[in-house]
Amino acid sequence: GSQEKADEFMRFYLLPGRAHGGGSGVVELKGRNEALVDWVEKGVAPTTLDGILKSGGTHPVEPLNVVK
């Protein structure tokens, strides 16, 4: 397949600093549920999401390409 085909049905986000559930980086993605609803109901695929940092503030998180 191709990246374009994979992008039709999935997005893969790695959260910096999570280290299998721990660490001091991004603890959750702000608006992730709304982004999913928009994708399913309106056909608007998610792009960059705001990652909420454990230390406060946000960090942009972009989906990774999964097809090489």
Side-chain angles (χ1 to χ4, degrees):
S2 67
Q3 186 63 50
E4 292 78 23
K5 284 288 188 188
D7 285 344
E8 291 176 10
F9 65 89
M10 74 166 288
R11 295 291 189 276
F12 180 65
Y13 294 86
L14 285 179
L15 303 182
R18 284 298 289 174
H20 300 283
S24 61
V26 174
V27 293
E28 71 177 89
L29 293 175
K30 181 179 180 182
R32 68 182 186 272
N33 293 335
E34 293 83 357
L36 181 58
V37 169
D38 285 347
W39 194 6
V40 171
E41 294 182 357
K42 300 174 186 173
V44 178
T47 56
T48 302
L49 297 174
D50 286 329
I52 299 172
L53 297 171
K54 188 174 186 177
S55 60
T58 61
H59 177 77
V61 180
E62 296 186 11
L64 297 176
N65 291 335
V66 294
V67 178
K68 298 201 183 228

